[in-house]
Amino acid sequence: MIMKRFIFLILGMVLFSLACQKALDETPQGVISGDALNTPENVEKMVISAYSGLGNDDIHTSFSLWPWGSMRSGDAYKGGDSPGDNTDWHSYELFSSNRPELANTDKMWYFLYVGISRANDALRRINQVEENVYPLKKSRQAEVRFIRGHFYFLLKILYKHVPFIDETIPEKEYGTVSNRALTNDELWDKIASDFSFGSEHLPVSQPQVGRVNKQAALAYLAKVKLYQAYVQDEKHNVTSVSSEKLGEVIALVDQVTASGKYKLNADFASNFLTQFDNSQESVFAVQYSKEDGTPKGRLNMGVALNYPMNKEFGCCGFHLPSQNLVNSFKTDASGLPQFTTFNNSDAKEGDDFKNNTFDPRLDHTVAIPGHPYKYSLNNVYQKTWARAPQIYGYFSTLKETVAPDDPSFQKIPPFMSSSKNTDILRYDDLLLWKAEALIKLNRHNEALPLINSIRERAINSTQRLKYADGTFFSTYKMDVYKPEVNCNWSPEFAWQALVWERRLEFAMEGNRFFDLVRWGNAAEYLNKYFKEESAKRAYLKEAQFKKNRDEYLPIPLAQLNYSRGVYTQNFGWQ
Amino acid sequence: MMIFLFLWLGGYAQQKTVSGSVTDREMKTPISGVTVKSNRQTVLTGIDGKFSLEASLNETISFSYVGMKPVSVLLTGQSEIAVAMEYEAGNLNQVVVTGYSSQKKADLTGAVSVVKTQQIKDVPLGNPIKALQGRIPGVYITTDGSPAAAATVRIRGIGTLGNNNPLYVIDGIPTERGLNEINQADIESMQVLKDASSASIYGSRAANGVIIVTTKKGKAGTSKIDFNSSISSQTYLTKVSVLNAEQRGRAYWQAAVNDGPGNDPNLNQIYKYDWNGDFNNPVLNGVLYPEFIDAAKTMRPADTRWYDEISQTSFIKSNDLTLSSGTEKGNSLFSLSHYDNSGIIKGSALKRITGRANSEYRMFNDRLVIGEYLSGTYSVGTSVPAGSIVELSLLAQPVVPVHTIQGGWGGPAAGMTDRHNPVRLIEDNKQNKTRFFRIFGNAYASLKIIPELTLRTNIGIDYNGDYARTLRKSYVSGFLVDPSNQVTATQNYSGNWVLQNTLDFKKIIGDHDIQLQAGSEQIKFTAQSFFGSRQGYALENIDYAYLNAGSTTKDNGGSGSGNSLLSFFGKANYSFKNRYLASFTMRRDGSSKFGSESRYAYFPAFSLGWRLSEESFIKDLVPSVSDLKLRYGWGKNGNQSIANNAVYDLYSAIYGTDNTFNRDNGSAYDINGGNSGQLPSGFTKTQRGNSALKWETTVQSNFGLDFGFFEGKLSGSADYYIKKTTDILLTPPSLAVIGEGGDPTVNGASMNNKGFEFLVNYDGSIGEEFTFSLSANVSTYRNKITSLPQNSLTAFPGNGNDKIILGRSVSSYFGYLADGLFQNQSEVDAHAVQNGKGIGRIRYKDVNGDGIVNGADRDYIGVSDPDFIYGFNLSANYKKFDVSVFLQGVQGVQVNNSSKIYTDFSSIWPGTNWGSRVLDAWTPQNSASSIPALTLVNRNDESRFSTYFLEPGSYLRLRNVQIGYDISELSNKIHIKSARFYLQGSNLLTIKSKNYTGPDPEAPNSTFPIPAIYTIGLNITL
């Protein structure tokens, strides 16, 4: 009997010990550890992952920067259903209610650093592979650094002082890197060095059209130098302009031109139509795609809310051209912009566009009631397509959208989008950087042909703006600048012409605000705009640009808090 | 029946047949299933409480029932015996399951609440947990009216930052899935272990409390059939009062003219106004409608009542059948139940079938007991997004028709917000069913090695899965258009197995009563899921909607996960002279979720009790005291609610993710510029690991007092506890520069909960025929975060700098202080700088007095924790009638009534419908109104979170009223043992603060509304 009990006890002990140490070893399912990614094949994949970051923006954080660069520049209203529809943007538009705690300010910051962290992750892996097993090592380093430089550039123009983290800083130390570790100028230099590495190590041509080449790096370097040339003090006042940097801009643009790879498209419209993606004018673009095996397609989501409310689209009516912008396309009797009088009367609808004369770029940029939408004659933009005209008027944006019958169009209910690329660097932009540098260097006569080449192309860009009967959507009258004929090409005049050319050429593309800040006149310009425009758009009565504050977004409150005092807020923000 | 007959025939001379009935002394209701035992025979009472058995004269007949005082009656010649049994409250011999074992209630030293299952058995909510709302002190249950929704259960406040759900133990098997799938009629008993000393034997996952459920078994000596049936109708009484088409037009006009010259009210796309055009003295003559509200001329203006369109008076049908039988050698029970709730929101129906088979076999003189519990559930629900449908009914403009003139779908027109027609969402989704199954059960063997020593082995399984085939139809609904259709088939399966082994030793040596236990438990969880989808379906018919029938955009995906737990535990209970009680438990838990260096942790606990009522100085001097016990308990519990692989650095081959509302997290890129086709891709960092992760622990002290007076007529208990949680697992918001994957999970925060619980019960009677029972409970808790890592401060309400959550409840609200409305220009001018301030607008307090109202003026403005929660139950019996009334309430809770954004403002969402409250908005003539003046532009940023949206959510609800009538006498004529008929009403009456402007503070904003329910039911025993 005792024996029997003993057996039971043994049995019990065995049952207890069934559970051994191994029982708690669980292998992670369906994932891969970081170390497994250091083979050349996987490093190539991590480079693609870094490229992928270029297009991973969302409906609220467009990497085209329209909510910051276009909507805040006097060129565009927020749009949508009402000021309450995406209130963060409403606060941006008014400036007066912008606050460091706005979620979109933090989200954008985060998304841009996601792009940077992907680049750094890829760089660390590239760096530890030997060139003999990975012949593309140098080029890939340069490509990834270009991507990193691009994201830092966006951060720089949005937030001014941002922490600079490259692949040499271990992740554990990220929290110790201040946004003021570098001066304003040093930060520009760091960004420039990513592009100058590319300008040295990238091939002139890449086998894949989406990859960065040498010219793209040169061009971006020129852009950095141009911004850097305007020296800002702590309060964002432009205190001087560096001739040396301007000289570099000119030399760099000239190098791109010398490659012979890029020229202006014959028709301005080609820059905004998917079938001309990666055209001769596109120096670097974010590649989008559809029907590519991803759930909804790798679409241009940053502009997905910017389609009007007709049956084929239906949502959401954001990013609407301002009356001021539409008026700015008016031309005078000699076909030149009306620098001072353009806003004295409004071109609103119907015959306004027959009785005035316009720069043809108007109908490439602005959807106007009664005019065909996106060059599509059987798809005429109606007043009913406007979402909240009582607040924002009837105009709609055109450049970033596509027609509903365009093969690149993709519904992503409730939104619309397309696989149309977004240009980051376009050759017309390069030409005007060079013109800007020349004028600032008092070589304004050299700038004249550059500006005129842009205008010449615009003048010739009316083929798609014609009805079947040969009449045009609007009355176009435009000419190039002819010194002594239709203008006096003085340095002052040349500067005004440059400023106007940039506005009209790149209207609604997300640059304008950053131009104004670079030139140092954002406060004066925007407060004047608010004063005039608020008579037409009541909600702008609250708008006010605070000089020495609103030139930059505040460092997001959440980041200031997470940094535990390592980050410092921008001047003017509490 | 055969056994009865056989015994009957076998009767002999001295024997007589005794019959009688057993009733509940408290409720005066018959008790079925009471074991009635004579020397000769053991029978069970029927549903009418009646029994008859063979017995001899001068023999003692015993009556026993789990949870009730046993009664003995000496048979002296009477042939009818009426026995009234006393329910648990005062019963100290009641057996309470406390974790791998059971104990007498008198010996309990922890904070354990026993649920009176009798009181909830007819509540038709389809989930036993929902029926417990307000009935147990310290257990805060929140729920909504959805047939499918689970309830949120918080035992003793909010103990941690992650998962706060209690652990459920059903027939000894732990599960975190709750009781949704348990047939209410199968439940024999339910206990709630609230403090650490009682719960810590469950170790790792018991920090949020444990709810123990034991299901019924067949009773020895009888076989019977129980049948319960009820039908209920549900009514939606809490619709938000919204504007009709005419009122919406008028309100819009008012808002536009308030905005002054330049804001022509006729500049909108729907309404046209006949008015005098004078902004200084505006007069509206009439609201004019267009012939069509859309440019395509498909929608005529309507006056749609959206809440009526989406809701219905609905029915709940509930039926269950239980067959049980038992002998001395074993017992078995089989039950089936069917629950069908069509839901007050159309398309929210749920149908469920559950089956159960419990059996037990006793062998070798009861030395070996082998048994099993097995239950299976199958349910079919509809994938209609009910929550958003309720919200859309508030947002959809009444001028939009449900259908176009061609019979298509109405939808938003120009100038309206891009929100869907809620009726379309119902109709286009009602064909989409989710089918769910769950198998839950265990098999056990228990062997008495020597009389004092028992070895028990228990193997359990808990697996569930669901399958859904969803057809997303194409639609044109106003300006919302999607020409594509899609079928998605998803299948998920998850679950775990459990292996438990325990060794129990029990011995009484003189005055010393000793119980010892040692055990182990091993659990392994797995989960897998996959989906496939295609587009391009030629027919939009669910019978056609299989993956094969789709032609384009094929997509699929899948994932898996797993974790495991391994634990060893021991327990010792000791009692000296039934007066001094002590209990000690120790558990060593290991979890695969933690780093290898800190996988294991120890969770000790002890408790002490002193039964003062057993001491002579009480027993002799204060005889009215029937029970008095002081309790103290201390213990430590764990929590492991983090991602399975939080200790690892991980990358995923994410090709692309849905980028409709969030960014694509994928790594594919069209580097070739081909615009479509398969793309090269890489890997996305998904997680940074922390190999030092360890258990989160909760230490709890409990001070308790149990009392009973006048032979237990008045009884109750009081408990005070302090609960400290440290090393709380949280994934802090990370500095953005770190990029994807974020910062790793850490053991960081600490939190305190202190609380008090009180329960009192009185059983009384007036004369012989009228008995009653009153019980009341009240409980409260205070939560406080005591420490947080610096980088996590901003993850909580507060500004992260000078106003931080430390020292405050985790449920704090942080925002602006709304300080009334500006009445005139001088008030506006006198106020600090506030962008958009104006007459009739909300004035926000300049808290820091710096002359500017901005983010720095936000402050802590309230807490969503209730001051206290309470319940009150009255049960009474008179002859064949029984009545019970249950009231439940929550006091001092502050609700964020965010629906006010729509019900009070025309400016925040000018494109939606608004609440009828806007008709009472501020005007110079109506200056007493607290609702801001109507405007179309939200200049003053009034959607900012402020005290304007905080409202008192206190309520007192008549949760249940039931009237029953015993019709056993009638039914006896048709060979039924007993029967009872009842009427029940639920949620018939609610008292709320008049300052709560929504319809129901219990289900604020757009939660699924809680219906009023009227039930007719029948209980029958065959």
Side-chain angles (χ1 to χ4, degrees), chain A residues 149-163:
Chain A
H150 168 63
F151 283 115
Y152 273 119
F153 182 85
L154 301 187
L155 279 162
K156 183 79 182 74
I157 60 176
L158 287 169
Y159 302 93
K160 189 168 187 174
H161 294 291
V162 301

Side-chain angles (χ1 to χ4, degrees), chain B residues 20-22 31 44-52 968-969 972 977:
Chain B
S21 63
V22 182
I31 310 174
L44 288 187
T45 56
I47 198 165
D48 55 353
K50 296 212 163 103
F51 66 92
S52 96
S968 305
E969 238 164 60
N972 279 347
K977 278 186 190 156

Side-chain angles (χ1 to χ4, degrees), chain A residues 5 19 23 25-26 32 52 81 118 121 125 171 210 287-288 290 292 297-298 314 386 390 413 542 562, chain B residues 267 269 417 450 479 481-482 524 564 566 599 651 655 659 668-669 671 675-676 683 688 740 794 801 910 939:
Chain A
R5 283 176 197 170
D25 286 338
E26 292 274 348
I32 188 165
S52 179
D81 162 26
R118 282 191 178 193
D121 190 306
R125 296 180 196 285
E171 277 191 351
Q287 308 290 324
Y288 291 105
K290 60 181 279 197
D292 52 13
R298 288 190 54 81
Q390 73 280 13
E542 321 299 327
Y562 300 159
Chain B
L267 259 186
Q269 322 252 71
T417 310
I450 50 171
F479 63 67
V481 178
D482 187 352
K524 182 153 173 56
S564 48
L566 173 60
R599 267 185 185 163
Y651 288 79
Y655 182 71
N659 47 3
Y669 192 68
I671 198 91
N675 242 345
S676 63
F683 301 89
R688 278 174 188 77
E740 283 160 316
T794 44
N801 293 322
R939 294 186 183 86

Side-chain angles (χ1 to χ4, degrees), chain A residues 43-62:
Chain A
V43 170
E44 276 289 278
K45 283 173 163 275
M46 295 312 283
V47 172
I48 292 294
S49 187
Y51 270 103
S52 179
L54 293 171
N56 287 0
D57 51 353
D58 78 353
I59 55 171
H60 295 128
T61 57
S62 181

Side-chain angles (χ1 to χ4, degrees), chain B residues 398-418:
Chain B
V399 76
V400 173
V402 176
H403 292 286
T404 63
I405 50 174
Q406 296 94 345
W409 290 114
M416 298 181 189
T417 310
D418 52 341

